[in-house]
């Protein structure tokens, strides 16, 4: 356990932020899994929306989001062929 006051405060902040961030991260990951299993334009839109929300909340870095979106777009291209 933290001893210093600033470490105690940092722990409190981390716990509070974790409670807020975990559902958003979980939703983004679950939407990506759905997209990988059933590639469709509707699932792609939902996955993009979840990823963009995570980027807006600083859960994912914007470059990671771009990489994930690119990978999912390739899945749609494969499904169309």
């Amino acid at each position: 356990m933290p001893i210093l006051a600033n470490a105690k405060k940092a722990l409190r902040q981390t716990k509070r932020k974790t409670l807020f961030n975990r559902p958003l991260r979980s939703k983004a990951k679950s939407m990506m899994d759905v997209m990988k299993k059933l590639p469709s334009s509707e699932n792609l839109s939902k996955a993009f929306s979840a990823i963009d929300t995570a980027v807006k909340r600083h859960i994912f870095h914007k470059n990671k989001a771009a990489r994930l979106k690119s990978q999912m777009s390739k899945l749609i291209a494969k499904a169309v062929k």
Side-chain angles (χ1 to χ4, degrees):
M1 290 302 297
I3 296 171
L4 299 176
N6 62 339
K8 290 179 183 178
K9 181 178 178 181
L11 182 63
R12 287 194 308 268
Q13 290 174 333
T14 301
K15 287 181 180 178
R16 196 166 42 240
K17 289 177 183 177
T18 300
L19 288 175
F20 181 75
N21 291 337
R22 186 178 290 147
L24 293 173
R25 184 181 297 113
S26 175
K27 182 177 180 184
K29 287 186 176 186
S30 63
M31 291 308 303
M32 287 186 282
D33 290 340
V34 169
M35 176 58 202
K36 289 177 185 174
K37 290 178 185 173
L38 301 169
S40 69
S41 60
E42 182 179 333
N43 288 340
L44 182 70
S45 176
K46 289 180 181 178
F48 276 19
S49 177
I51 291 170
D52 289 337
T53 303
V55 170
K56 186 172 136 183
R57 302 290 185 189
H58 303 288
I59 295 171
F60 291 160
H61 191 273
K62 63 179 182 175
N63 291 352
K64 178 178 179 170
R67 186 178 70 243
L68 293 172
K69 288 179 173 183
S70 174
Q71 290 171 353
M72 284 185 237
S73 296
K74 288 178 185 177
L75 291 174
I76 287 288
K78 282 184 182 178
V80 170
K81 289 183 181 180

